[in-house]
Amino acid sequence: NIIVAGAANQLTTLGNVYSSPSDVSAASFSSAGPRKDGAIKPDLSAVGVDMRLTNYSSSTTYNSTSTGSGTSYSAPIITGVAGALTQIKRSLSANTTFKFKADEMKALLTHTANEAGPNPGPDVSFGWGFVDAKAGAQLLIDNNNNLNIFQRRTLTSGVPYTRVVKAVAGKPLKVSISWIDPAGTSFTTSNDLQNNRTSKLVNDMDLKIVDMVTNQEYLPWKLDALNPVAAATKGNNTVDNIEQVLIDAPVAERLYRIEVSNKGTLVNASGTPTPQNYAFIATGYDPSYILSTSETSLKDAIAIYPTMVEDFLTIVISGKADKISIFDMSGKI
């Protein structure tokens, strides 16, 4: 449930600014993942080589600088970004005491991370990518203007959450979920520690996006525990408590259905069945597309609510209806 930081070398681009995945290279000392069961680790990466910091000449005089390298330097960068994003959210919400939940911050940082390394998707050196403070800030600003979805939701076992969105030309459709998973079963022996690849996930939530015209399913990224350096693939992820689905080139104006569900029964830390809280982020869709209804001349015979719909539309009819047709604002059924 923590954020594991990997270290990258200094970027060699003009101004040391990220421009492409090839700009990022792993530091020689930074340990590679994944977790034993194949879960993606590290989670994120930041520069951790030749970092300059303030130093001291005595216990009371800080008047010099030194350089150092290590994940002890990349981790504070990610921590600082998390703090800066928290302050932005406090300013936007006018709530000076606001704090992100751990799963919300992990979702925010991984969703907005820059692609790093030779292969698309997460990998064993950089995790979900190279942390990007500006992209994280933009997501929060856009969310404040209702241009994306970033919310905290609760999933009940066996009751999927669905959301229909409309794709935008030239924009990838990207959805992420993250949740705080109860503690898994501890390793008990040295052999267990070295060889047991059984998933440590307790609450196995699932994310997918469905093309509502072709019914094609788009599944989340995953790594192969038996071949961890291979490029990430997309499929049924049973080990990570963060899942991300990316459609690089969705069909413009087409409707896609986002689905969040779970396997088995969701439980709390005591093993008692209980709903699971999770962070949900979606970007790259048309924010103006909202399922809505309007009153009709049959208002005494038909009740339709709510007038603005996000998930479910209720239609109550006093008599019998042989057929119900619902059209969007463009006239499409």
Side-chain angles (χ1 to χ4, degrees), residues 280-293:
F280 178 91
I281 299 180
T283 55
Y285 67 94
D286 181 359
S288 67
Y289 175 76
I290 302 176
L291 294 175
S292 62
T293 65

Side-chain angles (χ1 to χ4, degrees), residues 34-79:
R35 200 169 66 194
K36 201 67 178 180
D37 59 359
I40 296 163
K41 295 295 172 189
D43 295 292
L44 292 160
S45 59
V47 173
V49 175
D50 295 333
M51 303 297 289
R52 184 165 293 277
L53 66 156
T54 57
N55 209 335
Y56 59 92
S57 57
S58 71
S59 60
T60 58
T61 305
Y62 290 77
N63 59 358
S64 63
T65 61
S66 63
T67 58
S69 299
T71 52
S72 296
Y73 295 84
S74 58
I77 289 180
I78 297 173
T79 305

